[in-house]
Amino acid sequence: MTDVVVVGAGVVGAACAYYAARAGLSVTVLDRGPVAAGTTGAGEGNILVSDKEPGPELELALLSARLWRELAGLGGFEYEAKGGLVVAETSEVLGSLADLAVAQAGAGVEHVPVAAGELPGYEPDLTPDLAGGVYYPQDSQVQPMLAAARLLSGAPGAVLRTGVEVTGLLRDGDRVTGVRTNEGDIPAGAVVNAAGTWSGEVAALAGLDLPILPRRGFILVTEPLGGRLGPPLIRHKVYTAAYVTDVASDSEGLETSAVIEGTPSGTVLIGASRERVGFDRTTSIPVLEALARQAVALFPGLAARRVIRAYCGFRPYCPDHLPVIGADPRAPGLYHACGHEGAGIGLAPATGHLVAGLLAGAAPTLDLSPFRPERFAA
């Protein structure tokens, strides 16, 4: 019998496996698809503190940012401590950005106010039609698929089984004692639900309601512009203040805001869109056009560059915009690590570290009550 079964081989499940295995637990990771085939594989790799208001998610993000810096020693997943630049089109928006940065500073977030005339020092190709911005040196980026794979390969003794679908949970009374799969039963001391956008379905196997919904987003990818082929066109993660508002929005309708960053290979990733349309993967040309227009408005030089592909993914959306982390008292033996929406890559190490601590019987280093699974029951 394995100590822990982790359901989901995305970056959050990989982080849970990594830290649980390092705590001395035997771990089996299951996924019905390949590693990082879900939300992780459709992400940009953002590790952000800049887009979060003071509160429990920011505390989680700060812990995760520190852990990502430690994990960078593993190598192999393109960790870039590039920093983030949030820009404002008007002086009014810039004032709101400055207020947020001051509030974040009280929680330990580093920031540098950037006047309009100082922006070219950060991003020479940025449009001059901006009022200013705020630079966040703690923001960083990884290649998410590589990160998930590297965490799994670095988990001592962990067993990875792909193409295995969890069809039920083993029970001893109320206690969860393993999983049923299309390839047979797997007894376990504990089960971790890290199934991303599909975590609600895993919770339902235990008779639990976990209101995690898909929130679709598209990303454009340009031809290589720099990186290994030359100097980068875009040095930092750059986004407009509207992105912060969109992240916190409860709207089901389409919202787009410019989020632009380069990669080590020289391509540029352009986002971000949000809409709740179920699991509809239909390519929306109007959304792609909106993303392209917003990118060119920030970096006019992109107008002469080609887009080589576009893809979409589904963020695991929770109604209160907080992830679900910890033991579920309604089904002892079941733990959740899900519902991170668009912040899962950034928050993965902290989530895995905290869940592994619970599995090993250690006291959590962060207050997990805001993330408790049963908070939606009422």
Side-chain angles (χ1 to χ4, degrees):
M1 183 177 81
T2 186
D3 292 326
V4 183
V5 166
V6 178
V7 182
V11 70
V12 174
C16 291
Y18 176 83
Y19 285 106
R22 288 178 61 86
L25 301 173
S26 58
V27 180
T28 298
V29 181
L30 307 177
D31 201 299
R32 62 187 177 188
V35 171
T39 299
T40 295
E44 294 175 80
N46 297 329
I47 302 169
L48 304 181
V49 298
S50 56
D51 64 339
K52 296 170 181 63
E53 295 184 353
E57 189 181 24
L58 179 56
E59 293 174 9
L60 194 67
L62 287 166
L63 171 60
S64 225
R66 293 194 295 271
L67 292 173
W68 271 122
R69 287 194 293 272
E70 294 175 7
L71 290 167
L74 293 173
F77 54 85
E78 298 181 2
Y79 175 79
E80 297 179 88
K82 60 169 60 176
L85 182 65
V86 189
V87 296
E89 295 92 336
T90 67
S91 56
E92 181 181 3
V93 173
L94 183 61
S96 298
L97 272 183
D99 291 342
L100 174 60
V102 170
Q104 292 168 324
V109 175
E110 302 169 22
H111 75 280
V112 180
V114 182
E118 297 172 329
L119 286 172
Y122 288 85
E123 293 289 346
D125 294 296
L126 197 60
T127 177
D129 301 326
L130 293 167
V134 179
Y135 172 64
Y136 289 87
Q138 290 158 297
D139 283 355
S140 55
Q141 182 178 347
V142 297
Q143 209 294 343
M145 292 176 284
L146 292 177
R150 188 68 184 91
L151 287 169
L152 288 169
S153 66
V159 175
L160 171 65
R161 296 178 60 185
T162 57
V164 177
E165 182 172 2
V166 173
T167 58
L169 299 177
L170 304 178
R171 307 293 287 265
D172 181 3
D174 289 337
R175 175 167 288 278
V176 173
T177 58
V179 296
R180 296 191 184 280
T181 80
N182 60 330
E183 295 188 0
D185 294 351
I186 304 176
V191 174
V192 177
N193 175 15
T197 312
W198 298 271
S199 293
E201 297 176 17
V202 174
L205 297 176
L208 307 176
D209 180 22
L210 210 58
I212 295 177
L213 300 172
R215 201 175 187 191
R216 187 175 71 179
F218 285 94
I219 295 174
L220 298 176
V221 185
T222 72
E223 62 185 329
L225 310 183
R228 301 185 185 98
L229 303 179
L233 174 70
I234 299 168
R235 302 175 180 181
H236 308 88
K237 176 184 175 64
V238 181
Y239 65 88
T240 60
Y243 176 77
V244 179
T245 304
D246 287 355
V247 168
S249 170
D250 295 322
S251 172
E252 294 186 15
L254 174 66
E255 296 172 326
T256 62
S257 50
V259 182
I260 306 168
E261 57 207 326
T263 70
S265 65
T267 59
V268 174
L269 306 181
I270 299 170
S273 67
R274 281 174 162 77
E275 55 186 331
R276 281 166 44 199
V277 292
F279 286 100
D280 182 0
R281 288 188 174 275
T282 304
T283 298
S284 172
I285 300 302
V287 173
L288 302 185
E289 290 175 338
L291 295 178
R293 282 195 303 270
Q294 291 172 344
V296 170
L298 279 186
F299 289 92
L302 287 174
R305 305 295 187 169
R306 291 176 297 178
V307 170
I308 58 174
R309 68 187 180 99
Y311 59 93
C312 78
F314 301 99
R315 303 174 182 89
Y317 166 89
C318 271
D320 61 1
H321 299 285
L322 290 177
V324 182
I325 303 172
D328 198 319
R330 301 166 296 176
L334 179 62
Y335 296 74
H336 299 286
C338 52
H340 299 79
E341 198 169 330
I345 291 155
L347 301 179
T351 300
H353 172 76
L354 292 165
V355 169
L358 295 175
L359 292 167
T365 55
L366 202 70
D367 178 15
L368 291 178
S369 60
F371 313 114
R372 64 191 184 280
E374 73 277 18
R375 69 185 189 268
F376 302 107

